[in-house]
mmCIF file of all heavy atoms in Angstrom:
data_model
loop_
_atom_site.group_PDB
_atom_site.id
_atom_site.type_symbol
_atom_site.label_atom_id
_atom_site.label_comp_id
_atom_site.label_asym_id
_atom_site.label_seq_id
_atom_site.Cartn_x
_atom_site.Cartn_y
_atom_site.Cartn_z
ATOM 1 N N GLU A 100 -9.943 12.709 -11.713
ATOM 2 C CA GLU A 100 -8.736 12.583 -10.900
ATOM 3 C C GLU A 100 -8.929 13.393 -9.647
ATOM 4 O O GLU A 100 -9.213 14.579 -9.682
ATOM 5 C CB GLU A 100 -7.500 13.106 -11.657
ATOM 6 C CG GLU A 100 -7.055 12.191 -12.775
ATOM 7 C CD GLU A 100 -5.615 12.440 -13.169
ATOM 8 O OE1 GLU A 100 -4.806 12.780 -12.332
ATOM 9 O OE2 GLU A 100 -5.359 12.321 -14.417
ATOM 10 N N GLY A 101 -8.853 12.702 -8.533
ATOM 11 C CA GLY A 101 -8.947 13.394 -7.224
ATOM 12 C C GLY A 101 -7.588 13.587 -6.676
ATOM 13 O O GLY A 101 -6.553 13.217 -7.265
ATOM 14 N N GLU A 102 -7.525 14.245 -5.528
ATOM 15 C CA GLU A 102 -6.224 14.541 -4.872
ATOM 16 C C GLU A 102 -5.442 13.274 -4.541
ATOM 17 O O GLU A 102 -4.232 13.217 -4.650
ATOM 18 C CB GLU A 102 -6.452 15.361 -3.643
ATOM 19 C CG GLU A 102 -5.177 15.793 -2.962
ATOM 20 C CD GLU A 102 -5.434 16.693 -1.752
ATOM 21 O OE1 GLU A 102 -6.357 17.569 -1.823
ATOM 22 O OE2 GLU A 102 -4.773 16.505 -0.757
ATOM 23 N N ASP A 103 -6.172 12.229 -4.112
ATOM 24 C CA ASP A 103 -5.472 10.957 -3.703
ATOM 25 C C ASP A 103 -6.121 9.731 -4.279
ATOM 26 O O ASP A 103 -5.993 8.657 -3.746
ATOM 27 C CB ASP A 103 -5.475 10.900 -2.161
ATOM 28 C CG ASP A 103 -6.861 10.809 -1.537
ATOM 29 O OD1 ASP A 103 -7.859 10.965 -2.254
ATOM 30 O OD2 ASP A 103 -6.947 10.511 -0.356
ATOM 31 N N LYS A 104 -6.765 9.863 -5.401
ATOM 32 C CA LYS A 104 -7.382 8.707 -6.075
ATOM 33 C C LYS A 104 -7.823 9.104 -7.460
ATOM 34 O O LYS A 104 -7.855 10.301 -7.799
ATOM 35 C CB LYS A 104 -8.588 8.192 -5.267
ATOM 36 C CG LYS A 104 -9.742 9.129 -5.225
ATOM 37 C CD LYS A 104 -10.878 8.642 -4.416
ATOM 38 C CE LYS A 104 -10.720 8.642 -2.983
ATOM 39 N NZ LYS A 104 -10.498 9.814 -2.206
ATOM 40 N N VAL A 105 -8.191 8.140 -8.276
ATOM 41 C CA VAL A 105 -8.827 8.344 -9.565
ATOM 42 C C VAL A 105 -10.088 7.531 -9.598
ATOM 43 O O VAL A 105 -10.264 6.579 -8.841
ATOM 44 C CB VAL A 105 -7.880 7.922 -10.751
ATOM 45 C CG1 VAL A 105 -6.665 8.755 -10.773
ATOM 46 C CG2 VAL A 105 -7.578 6.466 -10.738
ATOM 47 N N VAL A 106 -11.018 7.906 -10.450
ATOM 48 C CA VAL A 106 -12.294 7.205 -10.574
ATOM 49 C C VAL A 106 -12.504 6.914 -12.069
ATOM 50 O O VAL A 106 -12.309 7.836 -12.883
ATOM 51 C CB VAL A 106 -13.436 8.055 -10.018
ATOM 52 C CG1 VAL A 106 -14.774 7.258 -10.113
ATOM 53 C CG2 VAL A 106 -13.199 8.488 -8.608
ATOM 54 N N CYS A 107 -12.917 5.723 -12.342
ATOM 55 C CA CYS A 107 -13.182 5.346 -13.720
ATOM 56 C C CYS A 107 -14.471 4.492 -13.761
ATOM 57 O O CYS A 107 -14.987 4.113 -12.692
ATOM 58 C CB CYS A 107 -12.007 4.562 -14.302
ATOM 59 S SG CYS A 107 -11.694 3.038 -13.473
ATOM 60 N N GLY A 108 -14.931 4.196 -14.964
ATOM 61 C CA GLY A 108 -16.173 3.493 -15.131
ATOM 62 C C GLY A 108 -15.974 1.968 -15.268
ATOM 63 O O GLY A 108 -16.919 1.213 -15.182
ATOM 64 N N ARG A 109 -14.726 1.563 -15.527
ATOM 65 C CA ARG A 109 -14.490 0.140 -15.724
ATOM 66 C C ARG A 109 -13.061 -0.202 -15.331
ATOM 67 O O ARG A 109 -12.117 0.473 -15.691
ATOM 68 C CB ARG A 109 -14.685 -0.236 -17.196
ATOM 69 C CG ARG A 109 -14.762 -1.738 -17.411
ATOM 70 C CD ARG A 109 -15.721 -2.041 -18.575
ATOM 71 N NE ARG A 109 -15.871 -3.486 -18.624
ATOM 72 C CZ ARG A 109 -15.499 -4.274 -19.642
ATOM 73 N NH1 ARG A 109 -14.932 -3.717 -20.724
ATOM 74 N NH2 ARG A 109 -15.710 -5.556 -19.623
ATOM 75 N N ALA A 110 -12.890 -1.284 -14.510
ATOM 76 C CA ALA A 110 -11.594 -1.659 -14.040
ATOM 77 C C ALA A 110 -11.569 -3.122 -13.687
ATOM 78 O O ALA A 110 -12.592 -3.757 -13.601
ATOM 79 C CB ALA A 110 -11.273 -0.848 -12.762
ATOM 80 N N ARG A 111 -10.351 -3.604 -13.480
ATOM 81 C CA ARG A 111 -10.167 -5.023 -13.028
ATOM 82 C C ARG A 111 -8.901 -5.068 -12.193
ATOM 83 O O ARG A 111 -7.960 -4.249 -12.386
ATOM 84 C CB ARG A 111 -10.148 -5.983 -14.183
ATOM 85 C CG ARG A 111 -8.927 -5.906 -15.085
ATOM 86 C CD ARG A 111 -9.000 -6.960 -16.181
ATOM 87 N NE ARG A 111 -7.913 -6.785 -17.122
ATOM 88 C CZ ARG A 111 -7.662 -7.628 -18.106
ATOM 89 N NH1 ARG A 111 -8.462 -8.602 -18.301
ATOM 90 N NH2 ARG A 111 -6.656 -7.350 -18.914
ATOM 91 N N ILE A 112 -8.836 -6.056 -11.313
ATOM 92 C CA ILE A 112 -7.614 -6.326 -10.605
ATOM 93 C C ILE A 112 -6.886 -7.472 -11.302
ATOM 94 O O ILE A 112 -7.511 -8.371 -11.818
ATOM 95 C CB ILE A 112 -7.886 -6.661 -9.100
ATOM 96 C CG1 ILE A 112 -8.833 -7.911 -8.957
ATOM 97 C CG2 ILE A 112 -8.402 -5.465 -8.391
ATOM 98 C CD1 ILE A 112 -8.934 -8.377 -7.542
ATOM 99 N N VAL A 113 -5.544 -7.327 -11.378
ATOM 100 C CA VAL A 113 -4.830 -8.300 -12.150
ATOM 101 C C VAL A 113 -3.715 -9.032 -11.428
ATOM 102 O O VAL A 113 -3.384 -10.177 -11.781
ATOM 103 C CB VAL A 113 -4.154 -7.627 -13.402
ATOM 104 C CG1 VAL A 113 -5.287 -7.199 -14.385
ATOM 105 C CG2 VAL A 113 -3.292 -6.444 -13.062
ATOM 106 N N GLU A 114 -3.110 -8.461 -10.387
ATOM 107 C CA GLU A 114 -2.076 -9.170 -9.660
ATOM 108 C C GLU A 114 -2.013 -8.661 -8.208
ATOM 109 O O GLU A 114 -1.946 -7.475 -7.957
ATOM 110 C CB GLU A 114 -0.709 -8.798 -10.338
ATOM 111 C CG GLU A 114 0.463 -9.372 -9.609
ATOM 112 C CD GLU A 114 1.789 -8.899 -10.212
ATOM 113 O OE1 GLU A 114 1.813 -8.025 -11.111
ATOM 114 O OE2 GLU A 114 2.825 -9.406 -9.721
ATOM 115 N N ARG A 115 -2.021 -9.652 -7.314
ATOM 116 C CA ARG A 115 -1.912 -9.322 -5.910
ATOM 117 C C ARG A 115 -0.456 -9.027 -5.606
ATOM 118 O O ARG A 115 0.434 -9.788 -5.939
ATOM 119 C CB ARG A 115 -2.433 -10.436 -5.006
ATOM 120 C CG ARG A 115 -2.398 -10.025 -3.532
ATOM 121 C CD ARG A 115 -3.176 -10.919 -2.665
ATOM 122 N NE ARG A 115 -2.960 -10.485 -1.307
ATOM 123 C CZ ARG A 115 -3.662 -10.968 -0.292
ATOM 124 N NH1 ARG A 115 -4.538 -11.918 -0.519
ATOM 125 N NH2 ARG A 115 -3.421 -10.518 0.903
ATOM 126 N N LEU A 116 -0.206 -7.921 -4.923
ATOM 127 C CA LEU A 116 1.165 -7.554 -4.570
ATOM 128 C C LEU A 116 1.562 -8.136 -3.248
ATOM 129 O O LEU A 116 0.791 -8.574 -2.454
ATOM 130 C CB LEU A 116 1.272 -6.014 -4.493
ATOM 131 C CG LEU A 116 0.849 -5.283 -5.765
ATOM 132 C CD1 LEU A 116 1.028 -3.803 -5.639
ATOM 133 C CD2 LEU A 116 1.640 -5.790 -6.994
ATOM 134 N N ALA A 117 2.906 -8.161 -3.051
ATOM 135 C CA ALA A 117 3.484 -8.747 -1.826
ATOM 136 C C ALA A 117 3.266 -7.852 -0.649
ATOM 137 O O ALA A 117 4.118 -7.091 -0.201
ATOM 138 C CB ALA A 117 4.992 -8.910 -2.049
ATOM 139 N N TRP A 118 2.016 -7.917 -0.077
ATOM 140 C CA TRP A 118 1.677 -7.160 1.079
ATOM 141 C C TRP A 118 0.928 -8.068 2.053
ATOM 142 O O TRP A 118 -0.088 -8.711 1.713
ATOM 143 C CB TRP A 118 0.709 -6.010 0.693
ATOM 144 C CG TRP A 118 0.213 -5.163 1.795
ATOM 145 C CD1 TRP A 118 -1.010 -5.197 2.340
ATOM 146 C CD2 TRP A 118 0.953 -4.141 2.492
ATOM 147 N NE1 TRP A 118 -1.124 -4.222 3.339
ATOM 148 C CE2 TRP A 118 0.058 -3.629 3.446
ATOM 149 C CE3 TRP A 118 2.261 -3.611 2.430
ATOM 150 C CZ2 TRP A 118 0.459 -2.566 4.323
ATOM 151 C CZ3 TRP A 118 2.618 -2.647 3.282
ATOM 152 C CH2 TRP A 118 1.768 -2.113 4.231
ATOM 153 N N ASP A 119 1.469 -8.216 3.216
ATOM 154 C CA ASP A 119 0.857 -9.092 4.220
ATOM 155 C C ASP A 119 1.112 -8.475 5.633
ATOM 156 O O ASP A 119 1.696 -7.388 5.697
ATOM 157 C CB ASP A 119 1.337 -10.517 4.114
ATOM 158 C CG ASP A 119 2.847 -10.617 4.263
ATOM 159 O OD1 ASP A 119 3.518 -9.715 4.833
ATOM 160 O OD2 ASP A 119 3.449 -11.657 3.783
ATOM 161 N N ALA A 120 0.708 -9.144 6.615
ATOM 162 C CA ALA A 120 0.874 -8.617 7.997
ATOM 163 C C ALA A 120 2.292 -8.339 8.345
ATOM 164 O O ALA A 120 2.633 -7.339 8.993
ATOM 165 C CB ALA A 120 0.217 -9.520 9.005
ATOM 166 N N ARG A 121 3.260 -9.205 7.891
ATOM 167 C CA ARG A 121 4.674 -9.044 8.202
ATOM 168 C C ARG A 121 5.191 -7.796 7.539
ATOM 169 O O ARG A 121 5.838 -6.992 8.159
ATOM 170 C CB ARG A 121 5.440 -10.291 7.771
ATOM 171 C CG ARG A 121 6.958 -10.126 8.073
ATOM 172 C CD ARG A 121 7.741 -11.301 7.472
ATOM 173 N NE ARG A 121 7.759 -11.272 6.027
ATOM 174 C CZ ARG A 121 8.594 -10.526 5.344
ATOM 175 N NH1 ARG A 121 9.470 -9.776 5.907
ATOM 176 N NH2 ARG A 121 8.558 -10.576 3.990
ATOM 177 N N ILE A 122 4.895 -7.639 6.249
ATOM 178 C CA ILE A 122 5.411 -6.444 5.531
ATOM 179 C C ILE A 122 4.736 -5.179 6.055
ATOM 180 O O ILE A 122 5.405 -4.155 6.232
ATOM 181 C CB ILE A 122 5.157 -6.631 4.024
ATOM 182 C CG1 ILE A 122 6.054 -7.753 3.499
ATOM 183 C CG2 ILE A 122 5.410 -5.320 3.243
ATOM 184 C CD1 ILE A 122 5.776 -8.168 2.046
ATOM 185 N N ALA A 123 3.444 -5.228 6.397
ATOM 186 C CA ALA A 123 2.780 -4.090 7.002
ATOM 187 C C ALA A 123 3.442 -3.693 8.314
ATOM 188 O O ALA A 123 3.665 -2.489 8.592
ATOM 189 C CB ALA A 123 1.285 -4.352 7.187
ATOM 190 N N ARG A 124 3.832 -4.695 9.114
ATOM 191 C CA ARG A 124 4.504 -4.442 10.375
ATOM 192 C C ARG A 124 5.903 -3.783 10.168
ATOM 193 O O ARG A 124 6.204 -2.852 10.826
ATOM 194 C CB ARG A 124 4.615 -5.778 11.134
ATOM 195 C CG ARG A 124 4.839 -5.643 12.628
ATOM 196 C CD ARG A 124 4.832 -7.038 13.324
ATOM 197 N NE ARG A 124 5.901 -7.917 12.743
ATOM 198 C CZ ARG A 124 5.632 -9.048 12.112
ATOM 199 N NH1 ARG A 124 4.430 -9.467 11.882
ATOM 200 N NH2 ARG A 124 6.650 -9.771 11.667
ATOM 201 N N LEU A 125 6.652 -4.282 9.211
ATOM 202 C CA LEU A 125 7.954 -3.739 8.921
ATOM 203 C C LEU A 125 7.833 -2.300 8.395
ATOM 204 O O LEU A 125 8.607 -1.404 8.770
ATOM 205 C CB LEU A 125 8.699 -4.619 7.922
ATOM 206 C CG LEU A 125 9.086 -5.987 8.441
ATOM 207 C CD1 LEU A 125 9.664 -6.852 7.335
ATOM 208 C CD2 LEU A 125 10.045 -5.911 9.606
ATOM 209 N N PHE A 126 6.888 -2.076 7.512
ATOM 210 C CA PHE A 126 6.658 -0.740 6.977
ATOM 211 C C PHE A 126 6.260 0.256 8.114
ATOM 212 O O PHE A 126 6.801 1.352 8.179
ATOM 213 C CB PHE A 126 5.613 -0.788 5.861
ATOM 214 C CG PHE A 126 5.242 0.575 5.294
ATOM 215 C CD1 PHE A 126 6.207 1.336 4.576
ATOM 216 C CD2 PHE A 126 4.019 1.161 5.524
ATOM 217 C CE1 PHE A 126 5.939 2.563 4.107
ATOM 218 C CE2 PHE A 126 3.697 2.361 4.979
ATOM 219 C CZ PHE A 126 4.639 3.071 4.267
ATOM 220 N N ALA A 127 5.363 -0.188 8.980
ATOM 221 C CA ALA A 127 4.971 0.647 10.097
ATOM 222 C C ALA A 127 6.189 0.945 11.020
ATOM 223 O O ALA A 127 6.344 2.099 11.465
ATOM 224 C CB ALA A 127 3.874 -0.013 10.913
ATOM 225 N N ALA A 128 6.995 -0.021 11.233
ATOM 226 C CA ALA A 128 8.205 0.155 12.129
ATOM 227 C C ALA A 128 9.140 1.147 11.411
ATOM 228 O O ALA A 128 9.689 2.037 12.100
ATOM 229 C CB ALA A 128 8.902 -1.171 12.338
ATOM 230 N N ASP A 129 9.313 1.104 10.100
ATOM 231 C CA ASP A 129 10.150 2.021 9.387
ATOM 232 C C ASP A 129 9.600 3.479 9.543
ATOM 233 O O ASP A 129 10.352 4.432 9.827
ATOM 234 C CB ASP A 129 10.226 1.736 7.907
ATOM 235 C CG ASP A 129 10.986 0.422 7.617
ATOM 236 O OD1 ASP A 129 11.676 -0.133 8.536
ATOM 237 O OD2 ASP A 129 10.873 -0.016 6.482
ATOM 238 N N CYS A 130 8.284 3.643 9.366
ATOM 239 C CA CYS A 130 7.697 4.971 9.490
ATOM 240 C C CYS A 130 7.779 5.502 10.915
ATOM 241 O O CYS A 130 8.106 6.652 11.113
ATOM 242 C CB CYS A 130 6.280 4.934 9.015
ATOM 243 S SG CYS A 130 6.058 4.569 7.275
ATOM 244 N N ALA A 131 7.506 4.631 11.879
ATOM 245 C CA ALA A 131 7.579 5.084 13.316
ATOM 246 C C ALA A 131 9.003 5.448 13.675
ATOM 247 O O ALA A 131 9.235 6.432 14.405
ATOM 248 C CB ALA A 131 7.081 4.012 14.174
ATOM 249 N N GLU A 132 9.950 4.687 13.179
ATOM 250 C CA GLU A 132 11.373 4.965 13.488
ATOM 251 C C GLU A 132 11.813 6.366 13.039
ATOM 252 O O GLU A 132 12.617 7.033 13.627
ATOM 253 C CB GLU A 132 12.237 3.900 12.933
ATOM 254 C CG GLU A 132 13.638 3.923 13.480
ATOM 255 C CD GLU A 132 14.397 2.662 13.106
ATOM 256 O OE1 GLU A 132 14.476 2.337 11.966
ATOM 257 O OE2 GLU A 132 14.911 2.042 14.075
ATOM 258 N N ARG A 133 11.197 6.804 11.915
ATOM 259 C CA ARG A 133 11.539 8.150 11.377
ATOM 260 C C ARG A 133 11.137 9.313 12.328
ATOM 261 O O ARG A 133 11.721 10.372 12.258
ATOM 262 C CB ARG A 133 10.910 8.354 10.003
ATOM 263 C CG ARG A 133 11.684 7.575 8.948
ATOM 264 C CD ARG A 133 11.121 7.796 7.595
ATOM 265 N NE ARG A 133 11.000 9.124 7.104
ATOM 266 C CZ ARG A 133 11.977 9.830 6.491
ATOM 267 N NH1 ARG A 133 13.150 9.261 6.322
ATOM 268 N NH2 ARG A 133 11.756 11.049 6.059
ATOM 269 N N VAL A 134 10.145 9.059 13.170
ATOM 270 C CA VAL A 134 9.726 10.143 14.092
ATOM 271 C C VAL A 134 10.078 9.802 15.517
ATOM 272 O O VAL A 134 9.800 10.549 16.420
ATOM 273 C CB VAL A 134 8.178 10.402 13.980
ATOM 274 C CG1 VAL A 134 7.826 10.960 12.627
ATOM 275 C CG2 VAL A 134 7.384 9.196 14.355
ATOM 276 N N LEU A 135 10.757 8.695 15.683
ATOM 277 C CA LEU A 135 11.124 8.280 17.068
ATOM 278 C C LEU A 135 11.963 9.339 17.806
ATOM 279 O O LEU A 135 11.776 9.558 18.987
ATOM 280 C CB LEU A 135 11.870 6.919 17.019
ATOM 281 C CG LEU A 135 12.068 6.245 18.353
ATOM 282 C CD1 LEU A 135 10.763 6.038 19.102
ATOM 283 C CD2 LEU A 135 12.785 4.940 18.149
#
């Protein structure tokens, strides 16, 4: 276990989450607005 990640010897991906350019843009706008 690292500070911001974990490491293992075997893994798999199972489901793609709802993350795309539009959601990334909205999330960035939310974060930027907090320091505006």
Side-chain angles (χ1 to χ4, degrees):
E100 288 200 35
E102 184 177 318
D103 63 351
K104 66 182 74 62
V105 297
V106 184
C107 64
R109 194 147 188 244
R111 68 179 175 177
I112 58 172
V113 293
E114 177 186 5
R115 184 166 176 173
L116 303 182
W118 178 256
D119 58 22
R121 181 187 68 81
I122 292 172
R124 199 175 61 245
L125 293 172
F126 177 66
D129 292 349
C130 292
E132 193 167 54
R133 284 182 56 86
V134 297
L135 190 58

